Amino acid sequence: MVKHVDAIIVGAGWAGSIMAKELTEAGLSVVMLERGPERTTPVEGAYPDSIDELRGAIRKRLFQNLSQSTVTIRNTMDQTALPYRQLAAFLPGEGVGGAGLHWSGVHFRVAPEDLRLRSAVIERYGEKFIPEGMNLQDYGVTYDELEPFFDKAEKVFGTSGEAYRVQGKIVGDGNVFSPDRSDNFPLPAMKDTFSASVFRDAAKNAGYHPYALPAANASRQYTNTYGCQMGPCNFCGYCSGYDCYLYSKASPNVNILPVLRQDPGFSLIADAHVLRVDLDSTKTKATGVTYLDTKTRKEISLSADLVILGAFQFNNVHLMLVSGIGKPYDPVSNTGTVGRNFVYQTITSSRVWLPPSTYTNQFVGAGGAGVAIDDFNSMNFDHGPLGFVGGSPVWVNQAGVKPIAAALGAGGGGTPRWGSAYKDSLVNTYKHSLGIDAHGSNMAYRDVYLDLDPTWKDAYGQPLLRMTFTWKDNDIRMNQYVVSKIEPIARAMGATKMNLVHLNAGQPFDTRTYQTTHLGGGAIMGDNPQTSAINRYLQSWDVSNVFVIGSNAFPQGMGYNPTGMVAALAYWAAHHIRATYLKSPGPMVKA
Amino acid sequence: MPPMEPTLNNPFRRSVVKGLLGTTSFWMASGNARWAEALAAEAAQPYRPVFFDAAEYQFLESACERLFPADHNGPGARALGVAEFLDRQMQTPYARGENWYMSGPFEQGPANLGYQLPFIPKDLYRKGIAGVEHYARQQYGKGFVALSAMQQDEILTALEGGSVQLGDIPGRVFFEQLRTNTLEGAFADPLYGGNRGLGGWVMLGFPGARADFMDWVNQEGASYPIGPVSISGETA
Ligand SMILES: Cc1cc2nc3c(=O)[nH]c(=O)nc-3n(C[C@H](O)[C@H](O)[C@H](O)COP(=O)(O)OP(=O)(O)OC[C@H]3O[C@@H](n4cnc5c(N)ncnc54)[C@H](O)[C@@H]3O)c2cc1C
Ligand code: SF4
């Protein structure tokens, strides 16, 4: 007999945990399936084992185990995609909490115009401004509609920040480009590290508008909406790649699951790899899912009225493709939607050296703390004469640089990577330099997409997902322009030396060095079923009892980090499922 | 069964012992004084490699020291125990490639699409060291260890530059593997056998497991004043 529940949730990260909380609140019986192991902060975050760089960020113990499943990657459609065999460019999560356990905590909302970027670009520069082959699209949802859900997420995450405008009134020294808020941040901004404070002063003197990064690192002790507690962050610097031992960084494990686990309507099954969503013969209704218990190697089917995919961007797309949900995207005929508009994040890290009497103490930091400027992000500057779409915040986000990471990254670019001269530069760089990032948008293109690989398979016999991805001219020029703005700021900081890093014309995507885990698109939201896989409520156009929650919904990659937007979209979708869908299940938008 | 990765509950290593001896009261209180003595006695013995044979181990001692030499900045790989670190790493899931996708077919492609060889780290070392030895004898008529520092550097430079093939392994792949693990050994917590005496951390001014900088978020560019501590409690 197949066990039946009201709702199945695939994936125990932020997206899955938020949906599970909302649906159990609505009185549904909910099962959350997670392919990785059980993880709780008292175990994974226990000091001092948790702050071991080799075991943590270097051997990557909290990340996805690629031996079981991975992706293949190629730059262009005429290449053979090859397996991503070793974790490097991006670091997907696995286990309860997902990447939300080992993320950094930069917690943004969205630039309102990024939600209607196609319309905004056309209004300002005309349709011809959009380059050939760029699939620029609107989300189909506005900032005003999402605002209550950004607010709700911040109060769950315990986000620290400085507001600029609340209910129309200027209240503080926050980001002048940020939209109106219904309420302040729940916690005051994190303190500026020394490096960030130097950047703040220099950026201000250069006429820009620095602001404290909004951080899901608690600047003070905090009890969230659900009654979960966070302790004050001490800038230990072990956010990215680690479970925070002080309960200061927001994670599903600390901020949601402790209460959710108490709910009799909720159960969480770890070590449960979902193989597919089961559909009825019409392919318009999901009947449940089939998963493999990876401990017993038994296949188990569960039936449900509602299936929520929260397995992370590319895993959501993979599950849709292997289950037959929606029509796979074909870049040649330009038809289908699943796999379309696969996007990432442009990022380049430049380095500035301060005088030898000045110590930047780079090990001090917090994942979400720092100072940024938005003067070159989104639509905040005139793209007319520049001829590209998109932009980048620029920031000093000193998140705690560890010695192995510093040593591996030192040298290169014509300077020695080993030997005594290398040691000189490593020591000097570690003690006296700081990093400045341009963390920017990435547009969608017709020939950049996801589909199933014809050759390689995962440990369960299913085809790997194939990524066809490279950097395009529009995004490279955007990055170069923004990086050029760093130089005068660095001079004003008193740089004795700088190494400005930007993407180069024609430079292909390189899978060997970490960039970000901010992958997006592939099953995007929108108001047209011909060009989007899910509607504005993140509901599959084709299988209406499947909702697909995650950054897969982004039609293009924005300058900001994705998770704040993912959380708001999850709360938005959940709100409409509770208010509308559960009362009369079926498509919430007419196709 | 291969030995597990060292953990605090399984302190089979010298620096752990040294560190724990620094907290003798804990051991006395828990009645472990004799165990502590036994461990200290074991720690006085030189490390005996398990995975690498004597010649391979000597190769690593020499090659790692060239990559990370003792100099005015501080100790080199030899003094930091990098070869011991490497041998201990060879007994972990990492060396068996357990987190790598190792299913075929193995097709080669452009470098930017990443590692595509069918070899796990253990293979890379076994084959790579043999390959360098062979190359050294071919080019210089002597094994790597017997060469001058300058000749050793020439070989490492050639490997890094990509002009040498070591049997089925590109010299550059072996070089990168060795460089990566050498730097790990210099800077990982001493729990893993390298970074002896916290020498790597002292060099960088990294405070190790202190992990509390509440009062040091912004001290206007002053140098952090407290030396490092390891996970086991060892201080420099
Ligand atoms: C090092 C690092 C730092 C980051 N820092 C930031 C930051 O500062 N700010 C920011 O906004 N974002 C950051 N991110 C990105 C952020 O972590 C993700 O955007 C976010 O966690 C995504 O949440 P999710 O719930 O969509 O997916 P995930 O957290 O990835 O959760 C998905 C879960 O689904 C599980 N799963 C997948 N497939 C299956 C299957 N078939 N069956 C069962 N379970 C499955 C996975 O194991 C995983 O646990 C960072 C990421 C990393 C890796
Ligand atoms: S820096 Fe702060 S939030 Fe990050 S791990 Fe340390 S205490 Fe936690």
Side-chain angles (χ1 to χ4, degrees):
Chain A
M1 210 192 69
V2 176
K3 199 181 150 207
H4 183 85
V5 289
D6 294 330
I8 292 171
I9 297 189
V10 184
W14 278 120
S17 301
I18 289 171
M19 297 305 289
K21 180 76 180 79
E22 287 281 314
L23 297 181
T24 45
E25 275 180 20
L28 269 53
S29 58
V30 173
V31 169
M32 184 154 74
L33 300 169
E34 166 56 48
R35 68 177 171 190
E38 178 58 274
R39 285 197 170 119
T40 62
T41 292
V43 176
E44 307 297 344
Y47 178 91
D49 280 18
S50 67
I51 57 154
D52 178 337
E53 186 190 13
L54 187 75
R55 177 168 172 262
I58 300 298
R59 292 288 176 263
K60 303 185 168 61
R61 82 183 173 96
L62 296 177
F63 301 111
Q64 183 180 352
N65 181 346
L66 297 186
S67 71
Q68 302 302 296
S69 68
T70 183
V71 296
T72 63
I73 307 177
R74 60 181 179 177
N75 295 129
T76 54
M77 287 172 62
D78 56 9
Q79 280 180 319
T80 302
L82 297 175
Y84 180 58
R85 297 185 182 276
Q86 302 174 341
L87 284 172
F90 47 89
L91 302 169
E94 191 162 88
V96 172
L101 187 63
H102 55 66
W103 72 317
S104 305
V106 176
H107 185 185
F108 274 110
R109 292 189 169 195
V110 70
E113 288 188 302
D114 281 355
L115 293 176
R116 49 184 302 278
L117 196 58
R118 180 180 180 83
S119 302
V121 166
I122 292 175
E123 279 161 22
R124 233 183 277 176
Y125 309 117
E127 193 157 1
K128 284 217 197 77
F129 195 79
I130 302 171
E132 174 74 34
M134 184 190 285
N135 286 346
L136 197 59
Q137 279 179 225
D138 295 351
Y139 279 67
V141 65
T142 66
Y143 174 75
D144 288 344
E145 288 175 310
L146 290 181
E147 201 288 330
F149 306 101
F150 282 117
D151 181 65
K152 184 168 180 170
E154 286 169 357
K155 287 171 177 158
V156 170
F157 283 53
T159 305
S160 305
E162 171 132 38
Y164 177 66
R165 212 169 341 118
V166 175
Q167 301 196 10
K169 279 227 300 274
I170 293 174
V171 296
D173 197 20
N175 180 7
V176 300
F177 298 101
S178 64
D180 200 43
R181 309 167 51 93
S182 58
D183 198 0
N184 219 315
F185 286 96
L187 290 174
M190 296 282 283
K191 282 191 243 167
D192 293 352
T193 58
F194 170 67
S195 302
S197 75
V198 175
F199 177 75
R200 183 189 284 275
D201 293 343
K204 193 173 267 170
N205 290 337
Y208 302 131
H209 302 85
Y211 63 92
L213 282 175
N217 312 120
S219 58
R220 291 191 189 151
Q221 189 252 326
Y222 181 67
T223 303
N224 82 358
T225 334
Y226 301 141
C228 300
Q229 296 183 348
M230 302 172 82
C233 163
N234 71 3
F235 286 77
C236 82
Y238 287 89
C239 288
S240 190
Y242 305 83
D243 182 353
C244 169
Y245 80 96
L246 283 170
Y247 296 69
S248 309
K249 180 181 71 178
S251 65
N253 315 58
V254 166
N255 296 56
I256 299 178
L257 291 170
V259 281
L260 194 49
R261 289 177 195 269
Q262 312 291 316
D263 196 309
F266 172 77
S267 44
L268 165 57
I269 307 178
D271 304 302
H273 182 94
V274 174
L275 297 167
R276 64 183 166 272
V277 179
D278 298 313
L279 303 183
D280 72 2
S281 57
T282 68
K283 300 252 179 209
T284 58
K285 189 168 180 265
T287 56
V289 308
T290 297
Y291 70 92
L292 184 81
D293 177 329
T294 58
K295 287 278 187 288
T296 64
R297 308 307 279 189
K298 274 212 191 87
E299 268 190 34
I300 298 166
S301 292
L302 262 185
S303 99
D305 299 323
L306 190 57
V307 175
I308 310 282
L309 301 183
F312 186 58
Q313 180 262 339
F314 66 80
N315 298 314
N316 284 346
V317 175
H318 185 246
L319 279 168
M320 291 175 83
L321 289 171
V322 295
S323 309
I325 298 172
K327 190 167 173 222
Y329 173 64
D330 173 4
V332 178
S333 62
N334 204 9
T335 56
T337 56
V338 183
R340 189 173 181 277
N341 280 34
F342 172 45
V343 294
Y344 197 18
Q345 179 109 59
T346 54
I347 182 165
T348 53
S349 299
S350 296
R351 193 149 283 282
V352 169
W353 283 260
L354 299 180
S357 56
T358 305
Y359 290 79
T360 49
N361 297 316
Q362 292 184 79
F363 45 86
V364 177
V371 169
I373 58 168
D374 261 13
D375 298 72
F376 304 103
N377 188 31
S378 187
M379 297 290 281
N380 303 343
F381 58 110
D382 186 6
H383 293 72
L386 303 169
F388 59 74
V389 180
S392 298
V394 174
W395 62 51
V396 169
N397 165 220
Q398 186 167 297
V401 182
K402 303 295 170 310
I404 300 174
L408 295 177
T415 68
R417 296 175 66 238
W418 51 281
S420 201
Y422 157 81
K423 281 179 81 181
D424 290 345
S425 82
L426 167 62
V427 171
N428 177 38
T429 299
Y430 195 71
K431 290 186 171 173
H432 307 297
S433 78
L434 57 89
I436 305 184
D437 306 325
H439 179 280
S441 58
N442 173 228
M443 295 303 137
Y445 301 91
R446 181 167 165 176
D447 58 357
V448 172
Y449 67 105
L450 300 171
D451 66 354
L452 293 176
D453 190 88
T455 308
W456 281 277
K457 302 222 173 341
D458 63 21
Y460 319 109
Q462 292 188 306
L464 298 185
L465 189 74
R466 175 168 69 177
M467 298 178 166
T468 303
F469 181 86
T470 199
W471 304 116
K472 297 277 191 171
D473 181 62
N474 174 86
D475 303 78
I476 292 170
R477 285 188 298 112
M478 180 282 290
N479 169 266
Q480 291 178 342
Y481 173 75
V482 176
V483 171
S484 75
K485 301 294 176 186
I486 294 176
E487 184 176 343
I489 302 176
R491 279 194 200 295
M493 290 167 84
T496 56
K497 186 177 125 186
M498 62 182 97
N499 180 20
L500 297 179
V501 179
H502 54 74
L503 295 173
N504 291 309
Q507 178 178 334
F509 168 56
D510 192 324
T511 66
R512 295 169 300 175
T513 44
Y514 187 67
Q515 285 143 73
T516 67
T517 310
H518 306 164
L519 301 147
I524 66 172
M525 61 193 292
D527 51 19
N528 179 352
Q530 302 304 315
T531 55
S532 58
I534 54 180
N535 66 25
R536 70 195 296 261
Y537 304 111
L538 290 86
Q539 178 183 38
S540 162
W541 286 108
D542 303 271
V543 182
S544 65
N545 63 339
V546 171
F547 288 76
V548 190
I549 315 293
S551 54
N552 54 272
F554 302 1
Q556 49 268 331
M558 55 187 181
Y560 288 161
N561 316 48
T563 310
M565 179 68 182
V566 169
L569 286 176
Y571 279 117
W572 153 265
H575 172 80
H576 289 281
I577 292 172
R578 294 175 68 171
T580 310
Y581 178 87
L582 291 178
K583 291 182 186 133
S584 86
M588 293 161 78
V589 181
K590 278 221 172 62
Chain B
M1 267 274 292
M4 304 289 286
E5 284 188 69
T7 65
L8 282 184
N9 298 329
N10 181 19
F12 55 79
R13 324 176 28 283
R14 115 176 22 115
S15 32
V16 168
V17 175
K18 243 202 313 175
L20 292 175
L21 290 179
T23 58
T24 318
S25 58
F26 165 73
W27 288 93
M28 295 303 186
S30 49
N32 277 320
R34 292 185 61 199
W35 185 35
E37 275 163 30
L39 286 169
E42 190 213 280
Q45 305 290 321
Y47 177 75
R48 278 198 312 271
V50 175
F51 175 77
F52 295 112
D53 68 23
E56 288 172 329
Y57 199 72
Q58 278 186 356
F59 167 85
L60 290 174
E61 294 261 19
S62 307
C64 298
E65 182 69 16
R66 293 317 302 153
L67 294 177
F68 201 82
D71 65 6
H72 63 277
N73 292 296
R78 198 183 297 269
L80 291 170
V82 166
E84 177 182 336
F85 168 86
L86 287 173
D87 190 68
R88 290 191 185 284
Q89 283 299 300
M90 289 303 112
Q91 300 158 54
T92 66
Y94 163 72
R96 301 190 291 274
E98 286 181 17
N99 287 345
W100 294 0
Y101 180 76
M102 291 303 283
S103 303
F106 290 89
E107 283 182 26
Q108 303 311 301
N112 68 298
L113 296 184
Y115 185 77
Q116 299 297 335
L117 295 172
F119 306 118
I120 59 175
K122 278 176 153 182
D123 300 338
L124 291 174
Y125 276 100
R126 193 111 287 155
K127 288 165 177 276
I129 295 173
V132 178
E133 280 304 319
H134 181 76
Y135 177 80
R137 282 178 207 284
Q138 228 178 21
Q139 298 292 313
Y140 300 93
K142 282 189 215 163
F144 186 89
V145 175
L147 299 177
S148 71
M150 221 175 72
Q151 290 168 322
Q152 292 177 338
D153 285 359
E154 281 170 16
I155 293 181
L156 291 168
T157 305
L159 294 174
E160 183 186 26
S163 60
V164 181
Q165 182 73 23
L166 307 171
D168 6 334
I169 296 176
R172 193 203 299 253
V173 169
F174 177 64
F175 176 87
E176 292 301 332
Q177 184 73 33
L178 186 63
R179 174 183 184 269
T180 296
N181 295 147
T182 299
L183 296 175
E184 289 168 0
F187 295 112
D189 191 280
L191 183 60
Y192 299 97
N195 190 13
R196 264 184 213 154
L198 315 185
W201 291 351
V202 170
M203 217 176 320
L204 291 185
F206 175 67
R210 298 213 175 273
D212 177 4
F213 306 113
M214 203 65 134
D215 304 330
W216 211 266
V217 180
N218 183 357
Q219 291 285 353
E220 302 297 343
S223 165
Y224 183 76
I226 310 174
V229 62
S230 76
I231 284 178
S232 70
E234 180 184 354
T235 51

